[in-house]
């Protein structure tokens, strides 16, 4: 069942799955999930299994999953099983950040949404909480290429809470943290004052603030809203130590992947999928396992945050 009760803007109906619409209307917990990680970030057929598993983790915790994507030009919040399968298996799925949304909608294309476009569409559907693996940020050669993810801009202007394991470690983590500061994006460590490194527990960068419980995150969200701020809250949640990639292996893999990308002349939005795939192949699949563990961990925490924010999270 579909409802078009929300609109991105007049004329572009945002398709919100009925169970998502009802949960938002009733103030029950909902967590949004992105689809770029499914279509472009994870190898097939594991991508579809993971997409389904993430929805199941939420469901088991009493939270309504809302995976976001664009199917035949229709932006959907709460993809159905067939739509999810299509975005995971079709060969003509474009990677759509915010600026590609109008193109994908007008051309009636299938599109996977990034952190930026997922946050935008989720917020339009009234969803405040969102889980992913790692957010985009400043690429290492940004001083020459100007390559910065538009995730940063979206986080500056979209009042959602994004649970992530840091930024992708293929990026310039320090520069990304500086940009998040410039853009007034609230960043808080979950149970740590070390900014996590996506595949790693610790990126080597410090955080000034940490929280210890979902209830504390919910309190920060409430304060942000009470202050009338429109920026995102990034909850940096480290992968469990037993699931992290070996830090030494990680360092050599990333250096190798960056070299391969430069040699192959990869640029623009193809950079992230190329590097992730290179890491996957070069690590014999180990990077994939760490990636999946990080996402699971984030989805689990996002569920508890959404429950706390909805007032069903139990005692503080
Ligand atoms: N992290 C991953 N896999 C991914 C991404 C992040 O482990 O596929 C995706 C997210 O959708 C993120 C996007 O929003 O990459 C950023 O891409 P870019 O750097 O081109 O903005
Ligand atoms: Mn880019």
């Amino acid at each position: 069942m579909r409802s078009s009760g929300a609109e991105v803007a007049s004329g572009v109906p945002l398709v919100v799955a009925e169970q998502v619409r009802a949960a938002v209307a009733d103030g029950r917990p909902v967590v949004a999930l992105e689809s770029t990680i499914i279509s472009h970030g994870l190898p097939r057929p594991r991508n579809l299994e993971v997409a389904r598993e993430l929805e199941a983790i939420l469901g088991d915790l009493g939270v309504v999953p809302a995976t976001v994507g664009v199917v035949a030009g229709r932006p959907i919040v709460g993809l159905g099983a067939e739509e999810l399968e299509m975005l995971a298996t079709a060969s003509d799925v474009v990677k759509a950040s915010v600026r590609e949304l109008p193109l994908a909608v007008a051309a009636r294309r299938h599109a996977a949404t990034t952190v930026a476009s997922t946050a935008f569409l989720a917020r339009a559907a009234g969803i405040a909480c969102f889980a992913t693996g790692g957010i985009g940020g400043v690429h290492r050669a940004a001083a020459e290429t100007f390559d910065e993810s538009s995730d940063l801009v979206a986080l500056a202007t979209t009042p959602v809470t994004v649970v992530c394991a840091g930024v992708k470690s293929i990026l310039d983590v320090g520069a990304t943290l500086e940009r998040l500061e410039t853009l007034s994006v609230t960043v808080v460590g979950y149970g740590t004052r070390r900014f996590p490194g996506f595949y790693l527990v610790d990126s080597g960068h410090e955080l000034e603030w940490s929280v210890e419980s979902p209830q504390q995150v919910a309190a920060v969200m409430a304060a942000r809203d009470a202050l009338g701020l429109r920026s995102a809250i990034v909850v940096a949640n480290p992968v469990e130590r037993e699931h992290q990639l070996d830090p030494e292996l990680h360092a050599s893999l990333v250096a190798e992947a960056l070299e391969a990308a430069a040699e192959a002349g990869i640029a623009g939005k193809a950079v992230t999928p190329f590097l992730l795939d290179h890491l996957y192949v070069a690590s014999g699949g180990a990077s994939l396992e760490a990636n999946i563990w990080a996402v699971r961990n984030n989805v689990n925490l996002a569920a508890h945050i959404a429950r706390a924010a909805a007032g069903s999270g139990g005692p503080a």
Side-chain angles (χ1 to χ4, degrees):
M1 270 257 304
R2 292 285 176 204
S3 154
S4 298
E7 282 197 343
V8 177
S10 58
V12 179
L14 176 61
V15 182
V16 183
E18 177 52 29
Q19 69 274 18
V20 173
R21 191 205 56 75
V24 169
D26 298 348
R28 286 183 283 117
V30 182
V31 168
L33 300 168
E34 61 153 308
S35 47
T36 291
I37 188 174
I38 302 167
S39 304
H40 304 277
L42 298 172
R44 302 166 187 205
R46 199 71 193 281
N47 61 341
L48 181 57
E49 292 165 30
V50 171
R52 288 176 174 151
E53 185 193 333
L54 301 179
E55 293 198 346
I57 291 173
L58 293 171
D60 288 347
L61 290 165
V63 174
V64 175
T67 307
V68 176
V70 179
V71 175
R74 294 178 316 148
I76 299 174
V77 177
L79 293 167
E82 277 173 32
E83 293 156 342
L84 192 68
E85 185 169 343
M86 207 168 53
L87 290 187
T89 57
S91 56
D92 58 344
V93 179
V94 294
K95 173 177 162 185
S97 196
V98 174
R99 72 171 189 162
E100 281 96 7
L101 282 178
L103 297 166
V105 168
R108 306 206 193 300
R109 292 285 303 269
H110 301 324
T113 50
T114 63
V115 167
S117 48
T118 301
F120 170 72
L121 293 170
R123 193 60 255 181
I127 301 171
C129 204
F130 167 25
T132 186
I135 57 174
V138 181
H139 283 260
R140 293 193 190 203
E144 286 96 54
T145 63
F146 277 65
D147 190 355
E148 269 191 34
S149 177
S150 71
D151 286 357
L152 294 173
V153 177
L155 293 172
T157 54
T158 315
V160 291
T161 294
V162 182
V163 183
C164 62
V167 302
K168 291 167 290 179
S169 50
I170 51 180
L171 301 174
D172 184 332
V173 179
T176 303
L177 285 169
E178 291 295 342
R179 291 292 286 148
L180 287 166
E181 180 186 3
T182 307
L183 293 164
S184 299
V185 176
T186 298
V187 180
V188 65
Y190 192 80
T192 181
R193 293 266 173 96
R194 306 292 300 176
F195 191 65
F198 189 61
Y199 298 116
L200 306 176
V201 171
D202 184 350
S203 68
H205 296 266
E206 242 173 89
L207 286 170
E208 208 175 324
W209 294 82
S210 63
V211 286
E212 304 298 327
S213 70
Q215 288 74 21
Q216 284 181 353
V217 179
V220 178
M221 291 164 71
R224 185 262 323 268
D225 294 342
L227 288 161
L229 292 172
R230 307 288 300 163
S231 43
I233 296 163
V234 171
V235 178
N237 183 36
V239 66
E240 299 100 322
R241 194 167 292 276
E242 68 267 32
H243 295 135
Q244 78 166 349
L245 207 56
D246 173 55
E248 269 170 38
L249 174 67
H250 174 264
S252 65
L253 286 172
V254 169
E256 219 177 82
L258 289 166
E259 211 169 286
E263 246 165 55
I266 306 295
K269 70 184 201 180
V271 169
T272 295
F274 178 91
L275 293 176
L276 291 175
D277 187 59
H278 190 96
L279 255 59
Y280 166 63
V281 174
S283 70
S287 70
L288 177 64
E289 297 313 315
N291 184 344
I292 293 172
W293 277 115
V295 181
R296 282 186 187 117
N297 194 37
N298 295 338
V299 169
N300 186 66
L301 177 57
H304 287 99
I305 292 170
R307 287 174 57 106
S312 51

